[in-house]
Amino acid sequence: MSGPAVPTGTAHSAHRPLHLERTELTGGLWRRWRDVNRAVSLPLARQWLERAGNLDNLRIAAGETDGRYRGPVYMDSDVYKVLESAAWELQHEGDADLADFLDRTADLLERAQQDDGYLNSHYQVAEPGGRYTRLVDSHELYCAGHLMQAAVAAHRATSDTRLLGVARRLAGHLAEVFLDGAGPGLDGHPEVETALVELYRVTGEERHLALASALVERRGRGLVGRHKHGARHRQDHLPVREAPALTGHAVRALYLEAGVVDVATETGDASLLAASARRWEDMVATRTSLTGGLGSRQVGEVFGERYELPPDLSYNETCASAASIQWSWRLLLATGRARYADLIERTLLNAFAAARSDDGRTYYKGNPLQRRPDHAEAVGDPRCRDEWFFSACCPPAVTRLVGSLEHYAATVSEHAGVPTLHLQQYTSVTLACPFADGRLGLRVRTDYPWRGTVEVTVTEAPSGPWALALRIPPWSTRTRLDTPDEKGAAVTADEHGYAVLLRSWQPGDTVVLHLDLTPRLTLPHPRIDAVRGCAAVERGPLVYCFEQTDQQDGVAVDDLALSPDTVFEEVAHDDLAGVGPTVALRTRAAAVTGRHQDGLPYRTLGGTDAVDAERPVTATAVPYFQWDNRGDGAMRVWMPLLAG
Amino acid sequence: MSGPAVPTGTAHSAHRPLHLERTELTGGLWRRWRDVNRAVSLPLARQWLERAGNLDNLRIAAGETDGRYRGPVYMDSDVYKVLESAAWELQHEGDADLADFLDRTADLLERAQQDDGYLNSHYQVAEPGGRYTRLVDSHELYCAGHLMQAAVAAHRATSDTRLLGVARRLAGHLAEVFLDGAGPGLDGHPEVETALVELYRVTGEERHLALASALVERRGRGLVGRHKHGARHRQDHLPVREAPALTGHAVRALYLEAGVVDVATETGDASLLAASARRWEDMVATRTSLTGGLGSRQVGEVFGERYELPPDLSYNETCASAASIQWSWRLLLATGRARYADLIERTLLNAFAAARSDDGRTYYKGNPLQRRPDHAEAVGDPRCRDEWFFSACCPPAVTRLVGSLEHYAATVSEHAGVPTLHLQQYTSVTLACPFADGRLGLRVRTDYPWRGTVEVTVTEAPSGPWALALRIPPWSTRTRLDTPDEKGAAVTADEHGYAVLLRSWQPGDTVVLHLDLTPRLTLPHPRIDAVRGCAAVERGPLVYCFEQTDQQDGVAVDDLALSPDTVFEEVAHDDLAGVGPTVALRTRAAAVTGRHQDGLPYRTLGGTDAVDAERPVTATAVPYFQWDNRGDGAMRVWMPLLAG
């Protein structure tokens, strides 16, 4: 079994994903997410494909029913993303109903697909003849890309060949039009690039890779077409080899980068890879929320200016979090640098995980780091999760990533003849895979991220020396490690970010990693204007937030301030109502009452009555990703910091 | 001559505007703005009415030419606002060309108006039969309101009766439909309410007031119709007697309040007035930028949540500044409290004045308090002024207010038999008006706001005692006053905010007010998250900003930080290139270089390498309203404050 992004044998890839023979998430957060994904989210998504008309659109295209096309032009993509989610779930265990859904939908797509391979219900039903006439907005190749990804998932998960057949015919058609054809068009919404490379990895058809490469190179030359938000919004202002930074629509930009790295990896194009990696560094340094959320400006859903990261207003679209993880995963494979896994963890456990309610029913599209007490009253547009959306990209972006999560836990590499198994993410999992000249079995047991102890037991191992590499997150300042050879050794990461244990391993050998989860206060860079004078609370990989429901004595979250020498008491809950297992953090804090002057919320420095009043209170924080499961009150991540 | 908002003799109005027999702005900022208004802005606006198609739309409606309707549905309103601007300009001095424009446009409107009084080029040309079918968005009454305001201005300024005739016929038609008719409709964009009361003040027709009153009372009952932004966006969620706060689209909300106060004043409805005044206090306390700018959220152009006042992202629409001044002016007349004149001054000299370039050619629609260095590069949508807009509401909102500015300088009242002349705003002006039983002449000479000295000379006075009341702005902490009786007396304001000098005055009597313009640092209320840890520089009524062009040694504005004990050196310029007269402020400051940790713009408190580096520099600020007349570099009002 393999997951998303599996470079070919000839790809230039420092790491490779595991080809799993057996795997099971045996507990903890990832397992909780996957269980709710299967039991609640995926069935609900399938219902919505009926209610919103996505499947009917395809049935009309197939000539099976009458009716009018419903929804935005990219309705097919939701079907494909749910199909992909279903495929990953079927990889975990059999499910006749889910298998039947996959089967019947493949049927439907075969019937809807036109003779020349074209498949898009909007253009077949609502705008016949409009095919490829307004690529800047049509999402035709975007939808095709999601079909390819669904087909690749179904093939990797269930050995399906029918969806793959539909995808191949569509890809062949696209190659004829966009590779052999006269018009140098490309889609206003990148996505097909990474999908074509993945399809190439399954089919071995060089034209799939060639088309992906051509589309990547074609971008940034003003060929996308005119759009009200301009060329930058569609990443069409500079070629991908030249653009210094991510600009424009965040999800578009991030999907494009996944495709850029895929093409670079398969073609061995080091300078193309370097260009993408440079943009990743710029994004991390200047445009990334503490939660990993990306795309700070709501208008246009774009990356904003450098350091424009308002906690209340940042959009941080759920799809952008998912796309960021996909891009970072590809960079991790290409380079073997742990910093990409660090960002995956930050994004996954914070911005991404916060999108879905704990019960798996509702989603945020935008994931701000603050919600004010009057958010509903002020503009009548309460900032809460919803089951589905007119533009429903985000829910199935969650289900397809959660469905394939175990594939992001580990990678393998070989350097100077030493095979190495890298544990990239920590969760309770058992896995078995081909490794070196034999097979490797590992059992990971941990309560991470609630506790910092990670026990790794070798259950099966090839003979001869090999290395176990453990990613050491940079926030873990006092990391210790117990190995069969030594107990309690201080750990430092190597230049790539891993603690590497090279030895001959026997079944039963156990390593225990002790990560340092001491709660810490995090300060923003002074250029991040919107959170100046604030600190955030982090514990291990988790960003914390203060929700109104947890505060005592009616203290308003918006009046809370922390002291620089704040000490946190950890309060573990086995099953906090509405939230599940968690570790809350409790501390002494101050409630600050501000002053007005002449009725205005401003006052002269040094003027009379000029000191804001403070009183001591107790404040409680919970992990950000668990917010808004207990009412729609105020929430904030960045807390005012009292003068030290 | 009288200006905007002239309550009738029976209105319940604590103050009344002056009925000017003579007036002249003799120098200073107001004169500068008026001169450029007449010489540049108004001619340009007239050109744009031709280029954008506004006048052609009306010509098509009049059957004088063929063609298609161009622009948004409210194109007529721009014509009316330019007409109003022209009328106020004609009040100042004769201008054959301008008089001809007024005349020819009145002709055109007479011909375009339908037999039943209806007049709206969009519905006559582009959607015949669509009349009043989608009031939530149609702006039909909104446009009618602007026509009435133009007609009232033309009547007050030039004794015009032709425009007034068109407006009366339209108002009569509206009364038939919306007062006598069956459907309780109302416009999604308030404006006609205040206009109808003004028309009533000129015509004395009770039905004009009755319709205004009905429309005011009708709002807030869900009758506006469904809209994607919801009822709050159109102020239709709560009746105006109940709504506790301004919500939704800022310009709509503010125009509505002007109408509410107009109706309350003419009908003597104290509780209606109190409801509006309560909302004004809430707005000032929680939703007002330091510059007076209103409407903090770009999406929907709405008032945001309480204390949501991001300096970089706040919309602060120019029309909202103008509408706020109109509302505050009406509250000032109704109550006689100086705090309304205080906000007028703050808004006029900062948010409003910043909208137009010094040369009078270009405008901002949005007026943020910060511009980042990469604003153009990041999203390809440079934040600069423009000559005109597809939705061109703002430029003529500036020209019509600037054209009538002198009317906001003073008011009269009579309390316990004592007639009082209140100077509300300080600028160089001469004026003569009927007063008490005779005539009053005043000459005000000042370099305000550059200097704090205001010399008021009585040039003509009725016999007997009367009072001269001078508004004392709350920021002037050490105010002194020279009167004919005493020199250098310390001044304190009375409960309404004025220093009141009651005596018998002789021609030649002079009073000199010395306002304290010492530059000060202003701190935000701690609930204003977006500018925590910052201070703004103010001097007298002016908010200052730091522009990149004024900084030395290549220091980036975004790296500057001020010390709490900052002392400013005042640098007066008689004519700073591109800006005109100004007083710049120079001070020692720090340039702060922030640190990243693990590539992210965040760092652990107390971690290694954890101190941002500071170096001493010189920093220079100029008045905010003069910004962006010398290049498109970074600008900021709120500056990081170093620990004290």
Side-chain angles (χ1 to χ4, degrees):
Chain A
M1 298 188 292
S2 50
V6 183
T8 62
T10 57
H12 293 241
S13 190
H15 285 206
R16 289 175 187 277
L18 272 47
H19 182 76
L20 294 166
E21 294 173 350
R22 275 183 299 108
T23 181
E24 189 182 1
L25 294 172
T26 55
L29 271 186
W30 286 24
R31 176 58 189 249
R32 184 181 179 87
W33 295 343
R34 218 198 67 198
D35 286 348
V36 83
N37 205 50
R38 184 185 194 92
V40 179
S41 306
L42 195 48
L44 201 58
R46 288 173 53 194
Q47 288 175 29
W48 275 105
L49 292 184
E50 291 291 357
R51 274 186 231 168
N54 307 66
L55 288 167
D56 275 347
N57 289 339
L58 286 161
R59 291 181 188 120
I60 302 167
E64 295 174 12
T65 181
D66 290 333
R68 287 168 61 108
Y69 181 91
R70 279 193 283 161
V73 293
Y74 40 83
M75 289 285 275
D76 292 354
S77 67
D78 300 333
V79 175
Y80 303 144
K81 286 156 83 174
V82 175
L83 279 178
E84 182 186 339
S85 309
W88 297 129
E89 286 301 334
L90 282 168
Q91 195 175 45
H92 303 137
E93 51 183 299
D95 180 323
D97 180 52
L98 214 50
D100 182 58
F101 166 69
L102 208 63
D103 214 43
R104 280 184 296 110
T105 312
D107 258 3
L108 173 59
L109 293 171
E110 283 178 344
R111 292 193 301 272
Q113 188 166 35
Q114 297 189 324
D115 291 343
D116 63 354
Y118 186 84
L119 175 55
N120 183 295
S121 73
H122 177 82
Y123 282 92
Q124 293 174 232
V125 171
E127 290 191 59
R131 189 196 277 196
Y132 305 136
T133 56
R134 50 177 184 112
L135 285 168
V136 65
D137 269 329
S138 75
H139 293 72
E140 286 162 288
L141 278 67
Y142 167 85
C143 289
H146 278 300
L147 169 62
M148 294 172 204
Q149 288 185 328
V152 166
H155 182 73
R156 288 181 182 150
T158 72
S159 302
D160 157 277
T161 56
R162 293 179 59 197
L163 264 184
L164 195 64
V166 176
R168 288 180 84 146
R169 285 190 292 277
L170 178 50
H173 159 77
L174 291 177
E176 279 175 33
V177 174
F178 292 95
L179 207 51
D180 309 335
L186 69 170
D187 196 298
H189 198 316
E191 154 63 30
V192 76
E193 298 81 357
T194 184
L196 279 163
V197 178
E198 281 277 89
L199 189 65
Y200 158 75
R201 288 163 174 166
V202 167
T203 63
E205 287 184 33
E206 293 287 348
R207 277 166 66 81
H208 298 164
L209 177 60
L211 178 56
S213 182
L215 292 174
V216 159
E217 300 288 355
R218 212 170 274 176
R219 192 162 296 269
R221 302 175 195 280
L223 301 172
V224 166
R226 287 177 62 87
H227 181 260
K228 67 171 177 174
H229 285 306
R232 272 165 206 275
H233 190 266
R234 301 294 160 98
Q235 296 79 44
D236 199 30
H237 61 302
L238 282 175
V240 297
R241 294 176 184 277
E242 295 170 26
L246 295 193
T247 60
H249 190 261
V251 176
R252 285 175 164 84
L254 291 160
Y255 278 145
L256 174 62
E257 296 295 347
V260 168
V261 178
D262 278 335
V263 167
T265 302
E266 292 298 338
T267 59
D269 190 330
S271 71
L272 186 62
L273 176 65
S276 187
R278 274 198 306 273
R279 287 189 290 272
W280 189 93
E281 292 295 342
D282 175 82
M283 174 188 84
V284 166
T286 68
R287 296 174 220 265
T288 303
S289 281
L290 187 65
T291 58
L294 296 169
S296 66
R297 202 175 285 183
Q298 294 179 27
V299 177
E301 304 175 347
V302 298
F303 285 100
E305 294 159 13
R306 288 163 67 88
Y307 302 104
E308 179 189 332
L309 295 163
D312 51 344
L313 297 172
S314 278
Y315 189 52
N316 291 344
E317 186 176 338
T318 300
C319 282
S321 298
S324 165
I325 290 170
Q326 291 171 40
W327 181 24
S328 291
W329 173 245
R330 285 157 173 78
L331 284 167
L332 173 65
L333 295 177
T335 66
R337 296 184 67 202
R339 59 195 284 87
Y340 299 114
D342 292 340
L343 186 68
I344 288 176
E345 176 169 53
R346 178 175 293 278
T347 308
L348 181 68
L349 293 181
N350 299 290
F352 178 83
R356 189 165 70 181
S357 58
D358 184 66
D359 65 7
R361 292 195 71 86
T362 58
Y363 300 83
Y364 278 116
K365 291 189 74 171
N367 296 279
L369 280 69
Q370 176 178 2
R371 184 166 72 180
R372 289 201 176 77
D374 65 332
H375 67 103
E377 165 205 329
V379 293
D381 178 22
R383 301 181 158 189
C384 299
R385 297 187 185 92
D386 212 339
E387 273 192 15
W388 204 251
F389 305 88
F390 178 74
S391 176
C393 47
C394 292
V398 173
T399 54
R400 74 186 183 126
L401 180 56
V402 171
S404 57
L405 213 44
E406 67 272 23
H407 295 286
Y408 296 90
T411 59
V412 293
S413 72
E414 185 162 324
H415 187 63
V418 180
T420 305
L421 186 291
H422 300 259
L423 272 185
Q424 302 288 2
Q425 306 294 339
Y426 299 115
T427 194
S428 287
V429 65
T430 60
L431 54 86
C433 62
F435 182 71
D437 303 327
R439 298 177 78 249
L440 175 68
L442 281 188
R443 183 178 66 230
V444 183
R445 286 199 297 208
T446 180
D447 270 338
Y448 188 85
W450 308 124
R451 292 173 212 282
T453 304
V454 182
E455 183 192 278
V456 184
T457 301
V458 175
T459 55
E460 199 173 359
S463 58
W466 56 273
L468 176 66
L470 304 169
R471 181 176 62 90
I472 307 301
W475 42 257
S476 181
T477 47
R478 283 177 299 273
T479 313
R480 288 179 306 110
L481 191 62
D482 306 329
T483 69
D485 312 309
E486 186 183 12
K487 258 190 136 32
V491 173
T492 46
D494 71 0
E495 68 191 79
H496 293 300
Y498 301 92
V500 182
L501 304 171
L502 173 60
R503 62 196 298 280
S504 291
W505 301 84
Q506 306 301 323
D509 281 350
T510 294
V511 165
V512 184
L513 176 68
H514 302 276
L515 295 169
D516 181 2
L517 301 188
T518 308
R520 59 196 191 277
L521 288 180
T522 300
L523 301 180
H525 189 282
R527 283 262 182 137
I528 306 181
D529 296 304
V531 293
R532 187 183 315 288
C534 289
V537 180
E538 294 186 277
R539 177 178 181 270
L542 297 180
V543 175
Y544 274 65
C545 71
F546 291 78
E547 286 200 88
Q548 190 58 53
T549 186
D550 292 316
Q551 310 315 318
Q552 298 174 11
D553 307 324
V555 177
V557 161
D558 276 25
D559 285 340
L560 286 176
L562 301 179
S563 162
D565 52 11
T566 295
V567 176
F568 293 96
E569 176 195 355
E570 303 190 353
V571 185
H573 297 271
D574 288 341
D575 190 9
L576 183 63
V579 168
T582 194
V583 173
L585 297 176
R586 194 154 57 196
T587 185
R588 300 300 295 166
V592 178
T593 307
R595 304 258 183 215
H596 291 78
Q597 183 177 292
D598 310 317
L600 287 159
Y602 311 104
R603 60 185 173 78
T604 304
L605 178 65
T608 52
D609 242 8
V611 180
D612 298 326
E614 293 175 18
R615 67 187 169 91
V617 294
T618 297
T620 300
V622 296
Y624 167 75
F625 84 83
Q626 296 179 319
W627 87 285
D628 196 11
N629 283 297
R630 294 169 297 153
D632 69 349
M635 178 280 289
R636 59 190 300 161
V637 166
W638 289 103
M639 306 303 290
L641 200 58
L642 299 169
Chain B
M1 298 187 292
S2 49
V6 183
T8 62
T10 58
H12 293 242
S13 190
H15 284 206
R16 288 175 187 279
L18 272 46
H19 182 78
L20 294 165
E21 293 173 351
R22 273 184 300 108
T23 181
E24 190 183 0
L25 294 172
T26 53
L29 271 186
W30 286 24
R31 177 58 190 249
R32 184 180 179 89
W33 295 343
R34 219 199 64 200
D35 286 346
V36 83
N37 207 49
R38 184 186 195 90
V40 180
S41 306
L42 197 47
L44 200 57
R46 288 173 53 193
Q47 287 174 29
W48 275 105
L49 292 183
E50 292 292 358
R51 274 187 232 169
N54 307 66
L55 289 167
D56 275 345
N57 289 340
L58 286 161
R59 290 180 189 121
I60 301 167
E64 294 175 12
T65 181
D66 291 332
R68 287 167 63 106
Y69 182 90
R70 280 193 283 160
V73 293
Y74 41 83
M75 288 285 275
D76 290 354
S77 67
D78 300 334
V79 175
Y80 303 144
K81 286 156 83 175
V82 175
L83 279 179
E84 183 186 337
S85 309
W88 296 130
E89 286 301 335
L90 282 168
Q91 195 174 45
H92 303 137
E93 51 184 300
D95 180 322
D97 181 51
L98 215 49
D100 183 57
F101 166 69
L102 208 64
D103 214 43
R104 282 183 295 109
T105 312
D107 257 3
L108 173 60
L109 293 171
E110 282 177 344
R111 291 192 302 273
Q113 187 167 36
Q114 297 190 323
D115 290 343
D116 64 355
Y118 186 84
L119 176 55
N120 182 296
S121 73
H122 176 82
Y123 282 93
Q124 292 173 230
V125 172
E127 291 191 58
R131 187 197 278 198
Y132 305 138
T133 54
R134 49 176 186 114
L135 285 167
V136 65
D137 269 330
S138 75
H139 293 71
E140 285 161 286
L141 278 69
Y142 168 86
C143 288
H146 278 301
L147 169 61
M148 294 173 203
Q149 289 185 329
V152 167
H155 182 73
R156 289 181 182 151
T158 71
S159 303
D160 157 277
T161 57
R162 294 178 58 199
L163 263 184
L164 196 65
V166 177
R168 288 179 83 146
R169 284 190 292 278
L170 178 50
H173 159 78
L174 292 176
E176 277 174 35
V177 175
F178 291 95
L179 207 51
D180 309 334
L186 69 169
D187 195 298
H189 199 316
E191 154 64 29
V192 76
E193 298 82 356
T194 186
L196 279 163
V197 178
E198 281 278 88
L199 189 64
Y200 157 75
R201 288 163 173 166
V202 167
T203 63
E205 287 185 33
E206 293 287 346
R207 279 167 64 83
H208 297 163
L209 177 60
L211 178 56
S213 182
L215 292 174
V216 160
E217 300 288 354
R218 212 171 275 176
R219 192 163 296 270
R221 302 174 195 280
L223 300 172
V224 166
R226 288 177 62 86
H227 180 261
K228 68 172 176 172
H229 286 307
R232 273 166 205 276
H233 190 266
R234 301 293 161 97
Q235 298 78 42
D236 199 30
H237 61 302
L238 281 175
V240 296
R241 293 176 186 277
E242 296 170 25
L246 295 193
T247 60
H249 189 261
V251 177
R252 285 176 166 83
L254 292 160
Y255 277 145
L256 174 61
E257 296 295 347
V260 168
V261 178
D262 277 334
V263 168
T265 301
E266 292 299 337
T267 60
D269 190 331
S271 70
L272 186 62
L273 176 65
S276 187
R278 275 197 305 275
R279 287 190 290 273
W280 189 93
E281 292 294 342
D282 175 83
M283 175 188 85
V284 166
T286 68
R287 298 173 219 267
T288 303
S289 282
L290 187 66
T291 57
L294 295 169
S296 65
R297 202 176 285 181
Q298 294 179 27
V299 178
E301 304 175 348
V302 299
F303 285 100
E305 295 159 13
R306 288 163 66 89
Y307 303 106
E308 179 188 332
L309 295 164
D312 51 345
L313 297 172
S314 277
Y315 189 53
N316 291 344
E317 185 177 338
T318 300
C319 282
S321 298
S324 166
I325 290 169
Q326 291 172 40
W327 180 25
S328 291
W329 174 245
R330 284 156 174 79
L331 284 167
L332 174 64
L333 295 178
T335 67
R337 297 183 65 203
R339 57 195 285 86
Y340 300 114
D342 291 341
L343 187 67
I344 288 175
E345 176 169 54
R346 178 175 292 279
T347 308
L348 182 68
L349 293 182
N350 298 290
F352 178 83
R356 189 165 69 182
S357 58
D358 184 66
D359 65 8
R361 292 196 70 86
T362 58
Y363 300 83
Y364 278 117
K365 291 189 74 172
N367 296 278
L369 281 69
Q370 176 178 1
R371 185 165 71 180
R372 290 202 176 77
D374 64 333
H375 67 103
E377 163 205 333
V379 293
D381 177 23
R383 300 180 159 189
C384 299
R385 297 188 186 92
D386 211 341
E387 272 194 16
W388 204 251
F389 306 89
F390 178 74
S391 176
C393 48
C394 292
V398 173
T399 53
R400 74 186 183 124
L401 179 55
V402 171
S404 58
L405 213 44
E406 67 273 24
H407 295 287
Y408 296 90
T411 60
V412 294
S413 73
E414 185 162 323
H415 187 64
V418 180
T420 305
L421 186 291
H422 300 258
L423 273 185
Q424 302 289 3
Q425 306 295 340
Y426 299 114
T427 194
S428 287
V429 64
T430 60
L431 53 86
C433 62
F435 182 71
D437 303 327
R439 297 179 78 251
L440 175 68
L442 282 188
R443 182 178 65 232
V444 183
R445 287 200 294 211
T446 181
D447 269 337
Y448 188 84
W450 308 125
R451 293 174 212 279
T453 303
V454 182
E455 183 193 277
V456 184
T457 301
V458 175
T459 55
E460 197 172 2
S463 59
W466 55 272
L468 177 65
L470 305 170
R471 181 175 63 88
I472 308 301
W475 42 256
S476 181
T477 48
R478 283 177 299 273
T479 312
R480 290 178 304 108
L481 192 61
D482 306 331
T483 70
D485 312 310
E486 186 184 13
K487 258 192 137 29
V491 172
T492 47
D494 71 0
E495 67 192 79
H496 293 300
Y498 301 91
V500 182
L501 305 171
L502 173 61
R503 62 195 296 280
S504 291
W505 300 85
Q506 306 299 324
D509 282 350
T510 294
V511 165
V512 183
L513 177 67
H514 302 275
L515 295 169
D516 179 2
L517 301 189
T518 309
R520 59 196 191 275
L521 288 180
T522 299
L523 302 179
H525 189 282
R527 283 262 184 137
I528 306 180
D529 296 304
V531 292
R532 188 183 314 289
C534 289
V537 180
E538 294 185 277
R539 178 178 180 269
L542 297 180
V543 175
Y544 274 65
C545 70
F546 292 78
E547 286 199 88
Q548 190 58 54
T549 186
D550 291 317
Q551 311 316 318
Q552 299 174 9
D553 307 324
V555 177
V557 161
D558 277 26
D559 285 339
L560 286 177
L562 300 180
S563 162
D565 52 12
T566 295
V567 175
F568 293 95
E569 177 195 355
E570 303 190 352
V571 185
H573 298 270
D574 289 340
D575 190 10
L576 183 63
V579 168
T582 194
V583 174
L585 298 176
R586 193 154 57 196
T587 185
R588 300 300 294 165
V592 178
T593 306
R595 304 260 182 212
H596 291 77
Q597 182 177 293
D598 310 318
L600 287 159
Y602 310 104
R603 59 184 173 82
T604 304
L605 178 64
T608 52
D609 241 6
V611 179
D612 298 326
E614 293 175 18
R615 67 186 171 93
V617 295
T618 297
T620 299
V622 296
Y624 167 76
F625 85 84
Q626 296 178 320
W627 87 286
D628 196 10
N629 284 297
R630 294 169 295 155
D632 70 350
M635 178 280 290
R636 57 191 302 160
V637 167
W638 289 102
M639 306 302 291
L641 200 58
L642 299 169

